[in-house]
C-alpha cells in the first residue's frame, strides 16, 4: 500500500470523527486510533477511490498506431490528443491516410455545395469513460490539395436509434 497525502488526510479525518463519536461512549483514544487505522484503507480503496474513478474523466493517452486505430475504434479517443499535438501526420496524401486510418467513416456535409465534402473525413473515437458522460467524441481530418492539413476532435450528443416494436 502506497501512503499518499489523501490517505493520510483520510486517516486524520477518520480519527477525528471516530474520536468525537467514541467520546460520547468511551474516553479511550487508542480505540479511536485503532478503528481509524483499520477503517481508513477500507474507506479509501473501496469507497473513495472507486467513486473518484466514476466521476472523473481521466483516461490514458496512447501513441497513434494504425493497427490500434483500425482494430480498436472504441479506444481511439486515447490516441487523438497525441495525433493533434504531434503534427507528424500533416502533409501525408489521401492514399497514405487511407492506409493509416482506413476509409473515412463519413464525410462532413458542405451546405454551400449541398453535398458531402470528400476533403473532410470523420471517424468515431468512442465514448470517454465517466458516469455523467453524455457526449461522444469524433475526429475530423481535413485535406487541402490532396494532403492532410488538420486533425481535430469534436464532441456531439450520444443518440440511440429507436427500435421498431
Amino acid at each position: 500500500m502506497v501512503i499518499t497525502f489523501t490517505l493520510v488526510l483520510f486517516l486524520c479525518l477518520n480519527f477525528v470523527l471516530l474520536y468525537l463519536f467514541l467520546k460520547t461512549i468511551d474516553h479511550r483514544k487508542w480505540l479511536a486510533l485503532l478503528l481509524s487505522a483499520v477503517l481508513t484503507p477500507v474507506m479509501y480503496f473501496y469507497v473513495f477511490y472507486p467513486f473518484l474513478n466514476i466521476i472523473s474523466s481521466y483516461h490514458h493517452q496512447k501513441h497513434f498506431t494504425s493497427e490500434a486505430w483500425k482494430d480498436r475504434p472504441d479506444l481511439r479517443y486515447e490516441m487523438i490528443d497525441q495525433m493533434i499535438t504531434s503534427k507528424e501526420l500533416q502533409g501525408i496524401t489521401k492514399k497514405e491516410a487511407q492506409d493509416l486510418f482506413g476509409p473515412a467513416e463519413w464525410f462532413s456535409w458542405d451546405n454551400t455545395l449541398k453535398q458531402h465534402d470528400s476533403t473532410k473525413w470523420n471517424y468515431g473515437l468512442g465514448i470517454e469513460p465517466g458516469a455523467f458522460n453524455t457526449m461522444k467524441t469524433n475526429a475530423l481530418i481535413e485535406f487541402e490539395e490532396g494532403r492532410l492539413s488538420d486533425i481535430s476532435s469534436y464532441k456531439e450528443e450520444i443518440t440511440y436509434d429507436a427500435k421498431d416494436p
Side-chain angles (χ1 to χ4, degrees):
M1 176 171 63
V2 177
I3 298 174
T4 62
F5 173 74
T6 53
L7 186 64
V8 172
L9 184 68
F10 259 74
L11 179 66
C12 295
L13 185 66
N14 264 346
F15 175 75
V16 169
L17 292 175
L18 283 170
Y19 177 74
L20 292 174
F21 174 72
L22 289 175
K23 193 168 80 168
T24 62
I25 302 168
D26 196 350
H27 292 289
R28 292 180 283 192
K29 291 180 185 174
W30 65 269
L31 187 59
L33 183 63
L34 179 67
L35 282 174
S36 64
V38 170
L39 289 178
T40 296
V42 173
M43 293 293 293
Y44 183 76
F45 291 110
Y46 293 105
V47 177
F48 172 73
Y49 194 70
F51 179 73
L52 184 65
N53 283 327
I54 289 171
I55 63 168
S56 71
S57 64
Y58 171 78
H59 58 84
H60 298 283
Q61 299 292 318
K62 293 184 179 170
H63 291 285
F64 170 78
T65 63
S66 181
E67 296 80 27
W69 183 270
K70 292 176 185 174
D71 294 341
R72 295 297 308 267
D74 55 326
L75 297 178
R76 290 176 180 167
Y77 66 88
E78 295 179 344
M79 294 180 254
I80 193 66
D81 290 337
Q82 185 264 336
M83 290 169 59
I84 293 170
T85 57
S86 73
K87 308 254 188 226
E88 64 189 33
L89 296 173
Q90 290 202 357
I92 64 173
T93 65
K94 279 189 177 182
K95 174 69 174 120
E96 291 171 328
Q98 187 166 2
D99 291 342
L100 285 175
F101 305 123
E105 292 178 358
W106 72 93
F107 297 120
S108 292
W109 183 258
D110 189 347
N111 280 331
T112 58
L113 300 174
K114 301 291 187 206
Q115 66 181 14
H116 291 285
D117 186 355
S118 63
T119 63
K120 294 182 180 180
W121 297 5
N122 290 278
Y123 293 91
L125 298 180
I127 302 169
E128 292 181 18
F132 308 110
N133 190 2
T134 61
M135 306 294 276
K136 64 181 177 179
T137 309
N138 299 314
L140 174 63
I141 299 175
E142 298 180 63
F143 294 91
E144 288 180 11
E145 300 173 2
R147 298 212 170 262
L148 194 145
S149 63
D150 190 36
I151 299 175
S152 60
S153 66
Y154 63 95
K155 294 183 184 284
E156 66 180 0
E157 194 73 27
I158 297 172
T159 55
Y160 301 98
D161 295 334
K163 293 184 180 185
D164 293 331

